[in-house]
Amino acid sequence: MEENLRWLWYAFGSAWIIHIAYVHWIASRTKELRVQIESLRTLLKEQERKANP
Amino acid sequence: MPKSTAQTSDKLTPVLGVTAAAMLVAALYMIFLWVPNESTMGVVQRIFYFHVPSAATSWVAFFVGGVAAVRYLVSRDPRLDDLSVACNETGLVFCIVNLVTGAFWAKPIWGIWWAWDARGTSAMLLAVIYIGYLILRQSVDEPSQRAVVCAVVSICGMVDIPIIYMANRWWRTQHPAPVIGGGGLDANMGMVLGFATLALLTLLWYIVRQRRKLAEMQRETEGLRQMIHALAG
């Protein structure tokens, strides 16, 4: 019984680790891209200003 | 300049996140504390309530991803490619959870980590197809070409789903004969299975929305880079 309980915890533990790792990856990548988009938009505005003074 | 994807407000996603979390807590309560032990396998059979719903959820994700891929090929709307990649990648995560929980169930019951039976092998093939899909996405640079090639792979991947479902009906497999819909499942067990599936489908919906937003932001970044390049050139 206790031996089998170990497998139950392994299964549920690994399932949650996989899900949490994936959601965390999405969140950190989104944060990264938000910063990147902001700086690209600033750069684009500057270039547009230079092109059409 | 149009409003950035990063700035668009989204009220549904947080609501979905909270709902999914509440449903998952309730599902865990039912799985660990409410549903009775299965008489032959004992406590380890409870993996069933996560193993089977993970498979069903991945199939739903791949199906929606495939339908979005078909619609992309017809309309060439890049938002459908965003939806397709979001569904397929999230579906792969659920598919991997299904394979891993299956291995942890097989070890104490069958005495082996993995049986190369028709259902397990076709389920692993599904994961391999979508790993290939993600590798392909990384290797094609031109966005519209990438979307077309990936849409074709996504549609091909869908074909494996009915094969997995029918595997233990068509062939003799290590997996047991179908219990769902065949009257072989206790009413309480069926209820927990149904609720856990619903909870994982809500979690899928939440993650797909987050991942789709990320795909939109990736597309926006590519577009901004092209515009900067064009202006600089």
Side-chain angles (χ1 to χ4, degrees):
Chain A
M1 171 80 174
E2 271 187 27
E3 174 69 13
N4 277 353
L5 197 61
R6 184 165 65 105
W7 297 108
L8 183 64
W9 289 121
Y10 288 163
F12 275 84
S14 54
W16 285 111
I17 287 168
I18 293 166
H19 281 302
I20 290 166
Y22 182 55
V23 171
H24 177 76
W25 175 79
I26 292 175
S28 57
R29 188 82 184 101
T30 303
K31 209 170 149 186
E32 233 172 71
L33 277 182
R34 194 168 282 146
V35 174
Q36 238 178 70
I37 287 170
E38 274 315 301
S39 62
L40 284 172
R41 286 173 85 87
T42 312
L43 190 65
L44 185 64
K45 267 184 201 165
E46 274 174 24
Q47 289 206 350
E48 278 175 341
R49 238 197 329 263
K50 275 182 200 166
N52 311 301
Chain B
M1 199 180 285
K3 200 176 178 184
S4 166
T5 314
Q7 294 165 338
T8 51
S9 71
D10 174 17
K11 285 172 188 156
L12 181 61
T13 307
V15 175
L16 275 173
V18 172
T19 311
M23 287 179 82
L24 286 166
V25 170
L28 287 174
Y29 170 79
M30 290 167 99
I31 294 167
F32 283 97
L33 301 168
W34 186 76
V35 76
N37 262 350
E38 198 266 346
S39 55
T40 320
M41 287 181 269
V43 73
V44 78
Q45 182 270 345
R46 287 166 202 258
I47 293 174
F48 167 77
Y49 303 111
F50 221 72
H51 174 70
V52 175
S54 294
T57 307
S58 74
W59 297 347
V60 170
F62 292 140
F63 180 73
V64 176
V67 170
V70 172
R71 290 185 58 204
Y72 172 79
L73 290 178
V74 174
S75 69
R76 301 297 161 123
D77 181 349
R79 287 173 303 176
L80 290 166
D81 180 51
D82 296 340
L83 176 63
S84 187
V85 68
C87 287
N88 291 336
E89 196 180 279
T90 313
L92 178 63
V93 170
F94 280 91
C95 187
I96 290 169
V97 168
N98 169 250
L99 294 175
V100 171
T101 51
F104 281 123
W105 192 6
K107 182 64 181 160
I109 299 301
W110 296 340
I112 45 171
W113 289 101
W114 183 262
W116 289 103
D117 70 335
R119 178 162 267 189
T121 309
S122 52
M124 184 175 267
L125 179 69
L126 189 70
V128 170
I129 290 169
Y130 285 95
I131 288 169
Y133 169 90
L134 293 179
I135 293 170
L136 198 62
R137 278 201 88 84
Q138 298 297 318
S139 51
V140 182
D141 284 333
E142 208 282 306
S144 59
Q145 195 185 2
R146 176 177 60 213
V148 169
V149 173
C150 289
V152 173
V153 177
S154 178
I155 294 160
C156 294
M158 270 200 306
V159 176
D160 193 29
I161 297 170
I163 297 173
I164 304 170
Y165 182 75
M166 295 304 289
N168 60 347
R169 292 163 175 84
W170 287 343
W171 300 288
R172 280 177 58 190
T173 65
Q174 186 85 9
H175 276 78
V179 286
I180 301 158
L185 197 65
D186 171 81
N188 286 341
M189 290 177 166
M191 198 174 86
V192 175
L193 181 72
F195 188 79
T197 307
L198 216 59
L200 286 191
L201 283 171
T202 313
L203 179 67
L204 170 77
W205 192 3
Y206 166 73
I207 299 177
V208 163
R209 285 183 70 88
Q210 297 277 50
R211 182 62 185 87
R212 190 178 62 178
K213 190 175 181 185
L214 178 61
E216 284 170 1
M217 288 170 79
Q218 282 167 331
R219 190 158 47 79
E220 189 181 348
T221 312
E222 280 175 358
L224 285 169
R225 284 214 173 97
Q226 278 175 1
M227 284 163 81
I228 289 167
H229 247 269
L231 275 173

